[in-house]
Amino acid sequence: MKWMGAMSGGEQAIGQLIRQVPEGLPECRENLVKLVLQVTERYGNVPLILGGFSQGAMTSMDLALSLPKEIVPNLRCVLVLSGAPIVVEEWASKLREQKLRVFISHGTSDPVLPFMASSWLHELLKTNGAEVKYESHSGGHELGPQRILDSLSDFVAESISTT
């Protein structure tokens, strides 16, 4: 992704970047959907939790919004760790079609992906009906302190037990 260049260009450049389709996203999305379908075929309708860090967080969120309708009921939550939104218009449209539970964490001193991007993701999700837990920390491009991991663990446990 072109985040470093966009960060030097400020909010406007980042705003333009999150509206673009990243190179390789369609193929990535297709392959990840196939993987989830294979897992479901092999193990049945098991609870599904998607998550990732940085670019993995972005692809996890994209995958959650691209799952076939028959898989969506299995999705318990999405974990977005130091990520950012991409293809925001597409995500906004898809968010209106399904209810998601999402945990977001991000460091306010992140030099790789700007903290403001996770704030934009938080707003995008909330505005379009997702249930979001948003945790910031003072660190950089990292998971964060133990309190973030504890909050993440609690969120996953709640997501599994409430559905």
Side-chain angles (χ1 to χ4, degrees):
M1 294 204 173
K2 305 170 185 171
W3 286 97
M4 291 298 196
M7 284 178 64
S8 66
E11 270 189 49
Q12 184 177 359
I14 295 167
Q16 290 174 346
L17 181 63
I18 65 174
R19 286 166 173 74
Q20 297 173 9
V21 177
E23 184 178 334
L25 179 65
E27 297 83 5
C28 177
R29 182 185 289 161
E30 180 182 336
N31 288 333
L32 288 172
V33 167
K34 284 180 187 176
L35 175 63
V36 170
L37 289 172
Q38 289 173 355
V39 168
T40 303
E41 184 177 303
R42 183 169 181 175
Y43 297 105
N45 290 325
V46 297
L48 180 61
I49 296 171
L50 300 175
F53 177 83
S54 193
Q55 188 172 353
M58 297 176 230
T59 55
S60 294
M61 188 74 237
D62 188 75
L63 174 59
L65 293 168
S66 302
L67 289 172
K69 295 210 182 301
E70 67 270 16
I71 303 296
V72 171
N74 299 348
L75 182 61
R76 300 302 189 256
C77 63
V78 184
L79 312 173
V80 178
L81 310 173
S82 294
I86 54 174
V87 294
V88 293
E89 285 84 7
E90 181 180 342
W91 282 12
S93 175
K94 289 179 175 182
L95 277 162
R96 292 183 203 109
E97 299 172 14
Q98 70 185 69
K99 175 96 166 102
L100 289 180
R101 282 181 50 89
V102 182
F103 179 93
I104 302 172
S105 73
H106 206 123
T108 57
S109 300
D110 190 335
V112 178
L113 288 173
F115 177 73
M116 77 176 89
S118 70
S119 298
W120 293 345
L121 176 59
H122 178 231
E123 287 304 312
L124 174 70
L125 293 170
K126 293 289 282 188
T127 299
N128 290 287
E131 180 184 338
V132 183
K133 179 158 188 166
Y134 184 43
E135 299 268 349
S136 64
H137 57 86
S138 61
H141 198 63
E142 59 192 72
L143 293 177
Q146 187 61 46
R147 72 170 177 80
I148 298 293
L149 301 178
D150 292 343
S151 184
L152 173 69
S153 295
D154 292 345
F155 184 82
V156 168
E158 291 167 11
S159 297
I160 292 172
S161 68
T162 59
T163 53

